[in-house]
Amino acid sequence: MKVLVIDGQGGGLGRQLVTAVKSRYPEMEVLAVGTNSAATNAMLKAGADQAATGENSVAVACGKVDVIMGPVGIVIAD
């Protein structure tokens, strides 16, 4: 199973999500996409298997995973 974690700003929530998933389910592949490099680096340091940055990365990665995790702002605009 593949999990996508999306986060922005400093990547604090994304870092917590990656850590929680990897500690509970170490066999899962975790992809991390940050809206900026700080968020991406935080999630990568937390143990994400792959990482990318930017809007296009979000669009591409969403179609390749089974579960998408992130802040509520990724589903509610404005």
Tab-separated table of all heavy atoms in Angstrom:
chain	number	residue	atom	x	y	z
A	1	MET	N	0.839	-1.174	0.000
A	1	MET	CA	0.000	0.000	0.000
A	1	MET	C	0.883	1.234	0.000
A	1	MET	O	1.895	1.275	0.677
A	1	MET	CB	-0.911	-0.007	1.226
A	1	MET	CG	-1.815	1.210	1.276
A	1	MET	SD	-2.954	1.219	2.660
A	1	MET	CE	-4.202	0.160	2.009
A	2	LYS	N	0.467	2.230	-0.760
A	2	LYS	CA	1.209	3.491	-0.825
A	2	LYS	C	0.411	4.597	-0.170
A	2	LYS	O	-0.792	4.723	-0.384
A	2	LYS	CB	1.481	3.882	-2.278
A	2	LYS	CG	2.461	2.994	-2.989
A	2	LYS	CD	2.738	3.515	-4.367
A	2	LYS	CE	3.706	2.606	-5.108
A	2	LYS	NZ	4.001	3.127	-6.444
A	3	VAL	N	1.106	5.415	0.621
A	3	VAL	CA	0.492	6.536	1.322
A	3	VAL	C	1.166	7.819	0.861
A	3	VAL	O	2.398	7.890	0.794
A	3	VAL	CB	0.658	6.383	2.854
A	3	VAL	CG1	0.098	7.589	3.577
A	3	VAL	CG2	-0.011	5.114	3.336
A	4	LEU	N	0.360	8.826	0.552
A	4	LEU	CA	0.879	10.147	0.191
A	4	LEU	C	0.593	11.105	1.334
A	4	LEU	O	-0.546	11.200	1.795
A	4	LEU	CB	0.202	10.656	-1.092
A	4	LEU	CG	0.482	12.105	-1.483
A	4	LEU	CD1	1.962	12.309	-1.783
A	4	LEU	CD2	-0.366	12.505	-2.664
A	5	VAL	N	1.623	11.798	1.796
A	5	VAL	CA	1.461	12.818	2.820
A	5	VAL	C	1.761	14.164	2.166
A	5	VAL	O	2.838	14.361	1.605
A	5	VAL	CB	2.389	12.582	4.031
A	5	VAL	CG1	2.211	13.685	5.061
A	5	VAL	CG2	2.123	11.223	4.651
A	6	ILE	N	0.792	15.069	2.236
A	6	ILE	CA	0.932	16.407	1.659
A	6	ILE	C	0.965	17.415	2.793
A	6	ILE	O	0.129	17.366	3.696
A	6	ILE	CB	-0.248	16.732	0.720
A	6	ILE	CG1	-0.368	15.689	-0.385
A	6	ILE	CG2	-0.090	18.136	0.130
A	6	ILE	CD1	-1.629	15.832	-1.236
A	7	ASP	N	1.920	18.351	2.744
A	7	ASP	CA	1.975	19.397	3.756
A	7	ASP	C	2.695	20.618	3.213
A	7	ASP	O	3.372	20.551	2.187
A	7	ASP	CB	2.658	18.898	5.027
A	7	ASP	CG	2.319	19.747	6.246
A	7	ASP	OD1	1.387	20.574	6.169
A	7	ASP	OD2	2.982	19.591	7.277
A	8	GLY	N	2.530	21.709	3.910
A	8	GLY	CA	3.155	22.965	3.513
A	8	GLY	C	3.730	23.670	4.716
A	8	GLY	O	3.926	23.065	5.772
A	9	GLN	N	3.980	24.944	4.573
A	9	GLN	CA	4.600	25.774	5.597
A	9	GLN	C	5.880	25.106	6.089
A	9	GLN	O	6.767	24.845	5.309
A	9	GLN	CB	3.617	26.085	6.709
A	9	GLN	CG	2.471	26.945	6.234
A	9	GLN	CD	1.530	27.341	7.349
A	9	GLN	OE1	1.613	26.864	8.476
A	9	GLN	NE2	0.611	28.225	7.025
A	10	GLY	N	5.966	24.767	7.363
A	10	GLY	CA	7.195	24.174	7.894
A	10	GLY	C	7.226	22.665	7.855
A	10	GLY	O	8.230	22.053	8.170
A	11	GLY	N	6.120	22.040	7.513
A	11	GLY	CA	6.071	20.589	7.424
A	11	GLY	C	5.868	19.882	8.745
A	11	GLY	O	6.074	18.678	8.839
A	12	GLY	N	5.446	20.600	9.768
A	12	GLY	CA	5.274	20.008	11.093
A	12	GLY	C	4.239	18.896	11.129
A	12	GLY	O	4.490	17.817	11.659
A	13	LEU	N	3.067	19.141	10.570
A	13	LEU	CA	2.020	18.124	10.545
A	13	LEU	C	2.442	16.949	9.668
A	13	LEU	O	2.259	15.790	10.038
A	13	LEU	CB	0.697	18.701	10.048
A	13	LEU	CG	-0.452	17.712	9.930
A	13	LEU	CD1	-0.787	17.109	11.287
A	13	LEU	CD2	-1.674	18.371	9.333
A	14	GLY	N	3.016	17.239	8.522
A	14	GLY	CA	3.482	16.184	7.626
A	14	GLY	C	4.535	15.317	8.274
A	14	GLY	O	4.528	14.095	8.142
A	15	ARG	N	5.440	15.940	9.024
A	15	ARG	CA	6.478	15.196	9.741
A	15	ARG	C	5.844	14.248	10.752
A	15	ARG	O	6.238	13.086	10.865
A	15	ARG	CB	7.429	16.167	10.449
A	15	ARG	CG	8.591	15.486	11.147
A	15	ARG	CD	9.448	16.456	11.939
A	15	ARG	NE	8.722	16.878	13.135
A	15	ARG	CZ	8.310	18.120	13.386
A	15	ARG	NH1	8.562	19.090	12.521
A	15	ARG	NH2	7.655	18.413	14.482
A	16	GLN	N	4.841	14.714	11.471
A	16	GLN	CA	4.157	13.871	12.463
A	16	GLN	C	3.422	12.712	11.794
A	16	GLN	O	3.435	11.590	12.302
A	16	GLN	CB	3.187	14.702	13.283
A	16	GLN	CG	3.865	15.680	14.204
A	16	GLN	CD	2.870	16.564	14.937
A	16	GLN	OE1	1.670	16.530	14.679
A	16	GLN	NE2	3.376	17.363	15.858
A	17	LEU	N	2.789	12.985	10.657
A	17	LEU	CA	2.062	11.934	9.944
A	17	LEU	C	3.016	10.866	9.415
A	17	LEU	O	2.757	9.669	9.543
A	17	LEU	CB	1.242	12.529	8.804
A	17	LEU	CG	0.020	13.351	9.205
A	17	LEU	CD1	-0.569	14.052	7.982
A	17	LEU	CD2	-1.019	12.472	9.863
A	18	VAL	N	4.121	11.291	8.823
A	18	VAL	CA	5.108	10.343	8.294
A	18	VAL	C	5.665	9.483	9.431
A	18	VAL	O	5.738	8.255	9.312
A	18	VAL	CB	6.252	11.066	7.556
A	18	VAL	CG1	7.400	10.109	7.246
A	18	VAL	CG2	5.740	11.709	6.282
A	19	THR	N	6.016	10.102	10.536
A	19	THR	CA	6.544	9.367	11.683
A	19	THR	C	5.538	8.353	12.201
A	19	THR	O	5.891	7.200	12.477
A	19	THR	CB	6.933	10.343	12.812
A	19	THR	OG1	7.915	11.257	12.317
A	19	THR	CG2	7.490	9.607	14.022
A	20	ALA	N	4.277	8.750	12.309
A	20	ALA	CA	3.238	7.852	12.820
A	20	ALA	C	3.010	6.665	11.889
A	20	ALA	O	2.925	5.520	12.344
A	20	ALA	CB	1.940	8.625	13.020
A	21	VAL	N	2.934	6.925	10.594
A	21	VAL	CA	2.695	5.838	9.639
A	21	VAL	C	3.874	4.880	9.608
A	21	VAL	O	3.705	3.661	9.655
A	21	VAL	CB	2.403	6.398	8.221
A	21	VAL	CG1	2.390	5.280	7.187
A	21	VAL	CG2	1.085	7.142	8.206
A	22	LYS	N	5.084	5.413	9.541
A	22	LYS	CA	6.277	4.559	9.451
A	22	LYS	C	6.518	3.762	10.741
A	22	LYS	O	6.998	2.645	10.686
A	22	LYS	CB	7.523	5.374	9.105
A	22	LYS	CG	7.533	5.911	7.679
A	22	LYS	CD	7.392	4.823	6.643
A	22	LYS	CE	8.712	4.268	6.243
A	22	LYS	NZ	8.613	3.290	5.145
A	23	SER	N	6.155	4.319	11.887
A	23	SER	CA	6.365	3.577	13.131
A	23	SER	C	5.318	2.473	13.301
A	23	SER	O	5.623	1.394	13.802
A	23	SER	CB	6.357	4.511	14.338
A	23	SER	OG	5.077	5.089	14.503
A	24	ARG	N	4.089	2.732	12.870
A	24	ARG	CA	3.013	1.741	13.012
A	24	ARG	C	3.029	0.711	11.883
A	24	ARG	O	2.752	-0.450	12.092
A	24	ARG	CB	1.664	2.465	13.044
A	24	ARG	CG	0.463	1.571	13.178
A	24	ARG	CD	0.367	0.986	14.582
A	24	ARG	NE	-0.898	0.315	14.769
A	24	ARG	CZ	-1.054	-1.007	14.702
A	24	ARG	NH1	-0.018	-1.781	14.468
A	24	ARG	NH2	-2.230	-1.553	14.875
A	25	TYR	N	3.332	1.165	10.660
A	25	TYR	CA	3.330	0.297	9.474
A	25	TYR	C	4.634	0.484	8.695
A	25	TYR	O	4.645	1.125	7.646
A	25	TYR	CB	2.139	0.624	8.571
A	25	TYR	CG	0.808	0.546	9.261
A	25	TYR	CD1	0.143	1.700	9.671
A	25	TYR	CD2	0.213	-0.685	9.515
A	25	TYR	CE1	-1.085	1.631	10.310
A	25	TYR	CE2	-1.015	-0.758	10.153
A	25	TYR	CZ	-1.654	0.402	10.551
A	25	TYR	OH	-2.867	0.322	11.193
A	26	PRO	N	5.734	-0.058	9.173
A	26	PRO	CA	7.034	0.173	8.525
A	26	PRO	C	7.124	-0.371	7.099
A	26	PRO	O	7.955	0.086	6.310
A	26	PRO	CB	8.032	-0.537	9.440
A	26	PRO	CG	7.232	-1.435	10.298
A	26	PRO	CD	5.840	-0.904	10.346
A	27	GLU	N	6.256	-1.305	6.735
A	27	GLU	CA	6.300	-1.871	5.386
A	27	GLU	C	5.629	-0.986	4.344
A	27	GLU	O	5.814	-1.181	3.142
A	27	GLU	CB	5.652	-3.265	5.376
A	27	GLU	CG	4.147	-3.272	5.538
A	27	GLU	CD	3.639	-3.048	6.978
A	27	GLU	OE1	4.454	-2.937	7.910
A	27	GLU	OE2	2.422	-2.985	7.146
A	28	MET	N	4.849	-0.004	4.773
A	28	MET	CA	4.157	0.875	3.820
A	28	MET	C	5.129	1.836	3.162
A	28	MET	O	6.055	2.334	3.791
A	28	MET	CB	3.066	1.682	4.525
A	28	MET	CG	1.831	0.923	4.782
A	28	MET	SD	0.523	2.063	5.231
A	28	MET	CE	-0.742	0.907	5.626
A	29	GLU	N	4.870	2.090	1.895
A	29	GLU	CA	5.663	3.076	1.166
A	29	GLU	C	5.027	4.442	1.375
A	29	GLU	O	3.846	4.632	1.095
A	29	GLU	CB	5.706	2.742	-0.318
A	29	GLU	CG	6.579	3.674	-1.108
A	29	GLU	CD	6.684	3.296	-2.572
A	29	GLU	OE1	6.156	2.251	-2.964
A	29	GLU	OE2	7.291	4.076	-3.321
A	30	VAL	N	5.801	5.387	1.886
A	30	VAL	CA	5.299	6.725	2.171
A	30	VAL	C	5.934	7.719	1.212
A	30	VAL	O	7.154	7.861	1.172
A	30	VAL	CB	5.579	7.144	3.633
A	30	VAL	CG1	5.116	8.567	3.883
A	30	VAL	CG2	4.903	6.186	4.597
A	31	LEU	N	5.092	8.390	0.430
A	31	LEU	CA	5.535	9.457	-0.459
A	31	LEU	C	5.176	10.779	0.208
A	31	LEU	O	4.062	10.930	0.721
A	31	LEU	CB	4.825	9.369	-1.806
A	31	LEU	CG	5.250	8.264	-2.763
A	31	LEU	CD1	4.737	6.920	-2.282
A	31	LEU	CD2	4.728	8.558	-4.136
A	32	ALA	N	6.087	11.703	0.225
A	32	ALA	CA	5.855	13.003	0.842
A	32	ALA	C	5.950	14.094	-0.211
A	32	ALA	O	6.900	14.139	-0.981
A	32	ALA	CB	6.879	13.254	1.934
A	33	VAL	N	4.937	14.960	-0.240
A	33	VAL	CA	4.971	16.102	-1.152
A	33	VAL	C	4.745	17.361	-0.339
A	33	VAL	O	3.736	17.501	0.350
A	33	VAL	CB	3.906	15.992	-2.265
A	33	VAL	CG1	3.922	17.241	-3.134
A	33	VAL	CG2	4.147	14.761	-3.109
A	34	GLY	N	5.699	18.254	-0.418
A	34	GLY	CA	5.599	19.530	0.278
A	34	GLY	C	5.318	20.651	-0.697
A	34	GLY	O	5.741	20.598	-1.852
A	35	THR	N	4.610	21.645	-0.220
A	35	THR	CA	4.358	22.810	-1.074
A	35	THR	C	5.585	23.710	-1.138
A	35	THR	O	5.636	24.620	-1.954
A	35	THR	CB	3.141	23.606	-0.576
A	35	THR	OG1	3.376	24.034	0.770
A	35	THR	CG2	1.882	22.766	-0.653
A	36	ASN	N	6.544	23.456	-0.269
A	36	ASN	CA	7.817	24.187	-0.309
A	36	ASN	C	8.930	23.248	0.162
A	36	ASN	O	8.663	22.160	0.686
A	36	ASN	CB	7.743	25.457	0.551
A	36	ASN	CG	7.378	25.157	1.984
A	36	ASN	OD1	8.035	24.353	2.643
A	36	ASN	ND2	6.317	25.775	2.483
A	37	SER	N	10.159	23.655	-0.016
A	37	SER	CA	11.287	22.775	0.292
A	37	SER	C	11.423	22.500	1.782
A	37	SER	O	11.875	21.406	2.169
A	37	SER	CB	12.586	23.350	-0.268
A	37	SER	OG	12.852	24.617	0.301
A	38	ALA	N	11.044	23.437	2.643
A	38	ALA	CA	11.133	23.211	4.087
A	38	ALA	C	10.214	22.066	4.510
A	38	ALA	O	10.606	21.187	5.290
A	38	ALA	CB	10.782	24.482	4.853
A	39	ALA	N	8.995	22.050	3.988
A	39	ALA	CA	8.048	20.986	4.305
A	39	ALA	C	8.538	19.645	3.762
A	39	ALA	O	8.471	18.619	4.450
A	39	ALA	CB	6.667	21.317	3.741
A	40	THR	N	9.043	19.646	2.548
A	40	THR	CA	9.546	18.419	1.946
A	40	THR	C	10.711	17.855	2.755
A	40	THR	O	10.757	16.657	3.040
A	40	THR	CB	9.988	18.674	0.493
A	40	THR	OG1	8.883	19.210	-0.237
A	40	THR	CG2	10.466	17.396	-0.175
A	41	ASN	N	11.655	18.693	3.127
A	41	ASN	CA	12.819	18.244	3.899
A	41	ASN	C	12.412	17.693	5.262
A	41	ASN	O	12.971	16.695	5.721
A	41	ASN	CB	13.835	19.373	4.060
A	41	ASN	CG	14.585	19.653	2.782
A	41	ASN	OD1	14.767	18.762	1.966
A	41	ASN	ND2	15.011	20.888	2.612
A	42	ALA	N	11.441	18.320	5.921
A	42	ALA	CA	10.993	17.852	7.233
A	42	ALA	C	10.403	16.449	7.124
A	42	ALA	O	10.676	15.579	7.966
A	42	ALA	CB	9.967	18.819	7.817
A	43	MET	N	9.607	16.204	6.094
A	43	MET	CA	8.988	14.888	5.926
A	43	MET	C	10.004	13.833	5.500
A	43	MET	O	9.918	12.679	5.907
A	43	MET	CB	7.826	14.977	4.939
A	43	MET	CG	6.660	15.784	5.473
A	43	MET	SD	5.226	15.799	4.395
A	43	MET	CE	5.765	16.911	3.100
A	44	LEU	N	10.967	14.234	4.707
A	44	LEU	CA	12.021	13.308	4.290
A	44	LEU	C	12.864	12.886	5.489
A	44	LEU	O	13.177	11.700	5.653
A	44	LEU	CB	12.891	13.971	3.217
A	44	LEU	CG	13.783	13.085	2.377
A	44	LEU	CD1	13.000	11.969	1.712
A	44	LEU	CD2	14.496	13.904	1.326
A	45	LYS	N	13.199	13.831	6.354
A	45	LYS	CA	13.965	13.521	7.563
A	45	LYS	C	13.169	12.634	8.522
A	45	LYS	O	13.751	11.888	9.300
A	45	LYS	CB	14.376	14.805	8.277
A	45	LYS	CG	15.461	15.566	7.553
A	45	LYS	CD	15.809	16.843	8.278
A	45	LYS	CE	16.831	17.640	7.504
A	45	LYS	NZ	17.130	18.937	8.144
A	46	ALA	N	11.841	12.716	8.454
A	46	ALA	CA	10.986	11.902	9.331
A	46	ALA	C	10.903	10.457	8.863
A	46	ALA	O	10.389	9.604	9.578
A	46	ALA	CB	9.593	12.512	9.411
A	47	GLY	N	11.386	10.172	7.646
A	47	GLY	CA	11.420	8.789	7.192
A	47	GLY	C	10.630	8.489	5.933
A	47	GLY	O	10.439	7.315	5.605
A	48	ALA	N	10.181	9.500	5.216
A	48	ALA	CA	9.463	9.257	3.962
A	48	ALA	C	10.373	8.527	2.977
A	48	ALA	O	11.578	8.778	2.925
A	48	ALA	CB	8.982	10.569	3.353
A	49	ASP	N	9.789	7.618	2.207
A	49	ASP	CA	10.569	6.842	1.246
A	49	ASP	C	10.943	7.646	0.012
A	49	ASP	O	12.015	7.472	-0.553
A	49	ASP	CB	9.788	5.593	0.818
A	49	ASP	CG	9.538	4.671	1.994
A	49	ASP	OD1	10.520	4.274	2.648
A	49	ASP	OD2	8.368	4.368	2.273
A	50	GLN	N	10.044	8.524	-0.412
A	50	GLN	CA	10.289	9.391	-1.560
A	50	GLN	C	9.714	10.755	-1.226
A	50	GLN	O	8.769	10.858	-0.445
A	50	GLN	CB	9.607	8.858	-2.811
A	50	GLN	CG	10.121	7.521	-3.282
A	50	GLN	CD	9.390	7.051	-4.533
A	50	GLN	OE1	8.777	7.829	-5.251
A	50	GLN	NE2	9.440	5.758	-4.780
A	51	ALA	N	10.251	11.784	-1.853
A	51	ALA	CA	9.761	13.127	-1.587
A	51	ALA	C	9.860	13.992	-2.835
A	51	ALA	O	10.715	13.764	-3.691
A	51	ALA	CB	10.544	13.776	-0.443
A	52	ALA	N	8.969	14.963	-2.922
A	52	ALA	CA	8.969	15.916	-4.028
A	52	ALA	C	8.379	17.229	-3.529
A	52	ALA	O	7.763	17.282	-2.468
A	52	ALA	CB	8.156	15.374	-5.199
A	53	THR	N	8.576	18.260	-4.319
A	53	THR	CA	8.091	19.583	-3.939
A	53	THR	C	7.315	20.202	-5.092
A	53	THR	O	7.712	20.079	-6.247
A	53	THR	CB	9.283	20.516	-3.599
A	53	THR	OG1	10.055	19.909	-2.568
A	53	THR	CG2	8.815	21.882	-3.142
A	54	GLY	N	6.208	20.855	-4.764
A	54	GLY	CA	5.497	21.641	-5.748
A	54	GLY	C	4.117	21.145	-6.109
A	54	GLY	O	3.724	20.017	-5.816
A	55	GLU	N	3.390	22.030	-6.755
A	55	GLU	CA	2.001	21.775	-7.140
A	55	GLU	C	1.868	20.617	-8.124
A	55	GLU	O	0.984	19.766	-7.986
A	55	GLU	CB	1.433	23.052	-7.764
A	55	GLU	CG	-0.017	22.988	-8.128
A	55	GLU	CD	-0.510	24.309	-8.690
A	55	GLU	OE1	-0.105	25.364	-8.186
A	55	GLU	OE2	-1.310	24.262	-9.643
A	56	ASN	N	2.730	20.558	-9.121
A	56	ASN	CA	2.666	19.477	-10.099
A	56	ASN	C	2.942	18.124	-9.440
A	56	ASN	O	2.337	17.121	-9.801
A	56	ASN	CB	3.641	19.716	-11.244
A	56	ASN	CG	3.449	18.712	-12.355
A	56	ASN	OD1	2.363	18.584	-12.902
A	56	ASN	ND2	4.510	17.981	-12.674
A	57	SER	N	3.836	18.106	-8.473
A	57	SER	CA	4.134	16.862	-7.757
A	57	SER	C	2.908	16.340	-7.025
A	57	SER	O	2.684	15.130	-6.966
A	57	SER	CB	5.265	17.094	-6.755
A	57	SER	OG	6.435	17.483	-7.425
A	58	VAL	N	2.108	17.233	-6.478
A	58	VAL	CA	0.870	16.832	-5.808
A	58	VAL	C	-0.071	16.186	-6.822
A	58	VAL	O	-0.615	15.110	-6.585
A	58	VAL	CB	0.179	18.032	-5.124
A	58	VAL	CG1	-1.198	17.632	-4.604
A	58	VAL	CG2	1.038	18.591	-4.003
A	59	ALA	N	-0.258	16.835	-7.951
A	59	ALA	CA	-1.170	16.332	-8.976
A	59	ALA	C	-0.744	14.956	-9.492
A	59	ALA	O	-1.572	14.063	-9.674
A	59	ALA	CB	-1.260	17.319	-10.129
A	60	VAL	N	0.525	14.765	-9.713
A	60	VAL	CA	1.030	13.488	-10.227
A	60	VAL	C	0.943	12.398	-9.165
A	60	VAL	O	0.478	11.282	-9.427
A	60	VAL	CB	2.489	13.634	-10.736
A	60	VAL	CG1	3.091	12.286	-11.063
A	60	VAL	CG2	2.531	14.556	-11.943
A	61	ALA	N	1.362	12.696	-7.946
A	61	ALA	CA	1.411	11.691	-6.884
A	61	ALA	C	0.025	11.220	-6.449
A	61	ALA	O	-0.139	10.056	-6.078
A	61	ALA	CB	2.174	12.241	-5.678
A	62	CYS	N	-0.969	12.089	-6.500
A	62	CYS	CA	-2.321	11.716	-6.063
A	62	CYS	C	-2.873	10.538	-6.863
A	62	CYS	O	-3.640	9.732	-6.332
A	62	CYS	CB	-3.267	12.902	-6.163
A	62	CYS	SG	-3.047	14.092	-4.837
A	63	GLY	N	-2.507	10.418	-8.104
A	63	GLY	CA	-3.003	9.332	-8.932
A	63	GLY	C	-2.254	8.022	-8.762
A	63	GLY	O	-2.647	7.008	-9.332
A	64	LYS	N	-1.197	8.015	-7.955
A	64	LYS	CA	-0.354	6.826	-7.829
A	64	LYS	C	-0.398	6.182	-6.447
A	64	LYS	O	0.361	5.265	-6.180
A	64	LYS	CB	1.097	7.192	-8.143
A	64	LYS	CG	1.290	7.663	-9.568
A	64	LYS	CD	2.739	7.958	-9.850
A	64	LYS	CE	2.917	8.360	-11.307
A	64	LYS	NZ	4.315	8.524	-11.666
A	65	VAL	N	-1.276	6.667	-5.562
A	65	VAL	CA	-1.291	6.160	-4.188
A	65	VAL	C	-2.665	5.632	-3.801
A	65	VAL	O	-3.655	5.869	-4.489
A	65	VAL	CB	-0.860	7.264	-3.190
A	65	VAL	CG1	0.566	7.695	-3.438
A	65	VAL	CG2	-1.802	8.435	-3.242
A	66	ASP	N	-2.701	4.909	-2.682
A	66	ASP	CA	-3.945	4.349	-2.171
A	66	ASP	C	-4.604	5.260	-1.132
A	66	ASP	O	-5.823	5.274	-1.009
A	66	ASP	CB	-3.678	2.980	-1.531
A	66	ASP	CG	-3.061	2.011	-2.534
A	66	ASP	OD1	-3.680	1.775	-3.577
A	66	ASP	OD2	-1.948	1.526	-2.272
A	67	VAL	N	-3.792	5.985	-0.366
A	67	VAL	CA	-4.295	6.840	0.710
A	67	VAL	C	-3.594	8.187	0.631
A	67	VAL	O	-2.387	8.254	0.406
A	67	VAL	CB	-4.012	6.202	2.095
A	67	VAL	CG1	-4.458	7.112	3.223
A	67	VAL	CG2	-4.681	4.850	2.207
A	68	ILE	N	-4.363	9.270	0.831
A	68	ILE	CA	-3.803	10.624	0.863
A	68	ILE	C	-4.060	11.202	2.245
A	68	ILE	O	-5.193	11.202	2.724
A	68	ILE	CB	-4.440	11.525	-0.209
A	68	ILE	CG1	-4.209	10.934	-1.600
A	68	ILE	CG2	-3.874	12.949	-0.112
A	68	ILE	CD1	-4.967	11.631	-2.699
A	69	MET	N	-2.996	11.705	2.883
A	69	MET	CA	-3.105	12.296	4.215
A	69	MET	C	-2.549	13.703	4.185
A	69	MET	O	-1.630	14.001	3.434
A	69	MET	CB	-2.317	11.467	5.237
A	69	MET	CG	-2.744	10.024	5.326
A	69	MET	SD	-1.667	9.050	6.378
A	69	MET	CE	-2.291	9.542	7.969
A	70	GLY	N	-3.121	14.571	5.031
A	70	GLY	CA	-2.634	15.932	5.128
A	70	GLY	C	-3.589	16.786	5.927
A	70	GLY	O	-4.587	16.283	6.469
A	71	PRO	N	-3.340	18.084	5.984
A	71	PRO	CA	-4.225	18.980	6.710
A	71	PRO	C	-5.564	19.140	5.986
A	71	PRO	O	-5.670	18.878	4.793
A	71	PRO	CB	-3.446	20.293	6.744
A	71	PRO	CG	-2.562	20.222	5.549
A	71	PRO	CD	-2.206	18.767	5.379
A	72	VAL	N	-6.580	19.568	6.712
A	72	VAL	CA	-7.912	19.705	6.131
A	72	VAL	C	-7.909	20.715	4.976
A	72	VAL	O	-8.737	20.641	4.090
A	72	VAL	CB	-8.939	20.086	7.226
A	72	VAL	CG1	-8.742	21.521	7.701
A	72	VAL	CG2	-10.351	19.865	6.728
A	73	GLY	N	-6.964	21.613	4.944
A	73	GLY	CA	-6.887	22.605	3.892
A	73	GLY	C	-6.658	22.040	2.502
A	73	GLY	O	-6.885	22.719	1.498
A	74	ILE	N	-6.233	20.779	2.389
A	74	ILE	CA	-6.018	20.195	1.061
A	74	ILE	C	-7.333	19.798	0.397
A	74	ILE	O	-7.356	19.527	-0.793
A	74	ILE	CB	-5.035	18.998	1.081
A	74	ILE	CG1	-5.580	17.824	1.867
A	74	ILE	CG2	-3.674	19.430	1.585
A	74	ILE	CD1	-4.729	16.571	1.792
A	75	VAL	N	-8.420	19.750	1.157
A	75	VAL	CA	-9.722	19.416	0.566
A	75	VAL	C	-10.718	20.564	0.611
A	75	VAL	O	-11.744	20.528	-0.044
A	75	VAL	CB	-10.360	18.157	1.224
A	75	VAL	CG1	-9.525	16.940	0.933
A	75	VAL	CG2	-10.564	18.358	2.700
A	76	ILE	N	-10.408	21.603	1.395
A	76	ILE	CA	-11.305	22.749	1.515
A	76	ILE	C	-10.536	24.000	1.079
A	76	ILE	O	-9.610	24.421	1.771
A	76	ILE	CB	-11.808	22.918	2.950
A	76	ILE	CG1	-12.589	21.670	3.381
A	76	ILE	CG2	-12.671	24.160	3.083
A	76	ILE	CD1	-12.994	21.672	4.834
A	77	ALA	N	-10.902	24.549	-0.036
A	77	ALA	CA	-10.228	25.744	-0.547
A	77	ALA	C	-10.693	26.991	0.200
A	77	ALA	O	-11.858	27.108	0.580
A	77	ALA	CB	-10.490	25.910	-2.027
A	78	ASP	N	-9.799	27.944	0.383
A	78	ASP	CA	-10.064	29.225	1.026
A	78	ASP	C	-10.576	29.051	2.432
A	78	ASP	O	-11.240	29.799	3.008
A	78	ASP	CB	-11.007	30.081	0.201
A	78	ASP	CG	-10.397	30.415	-1.165
A	78	ASP	OD1	-9.178	30.602	-1.223
A	78	ASP	OD2	-11.156	30.475	-2.124
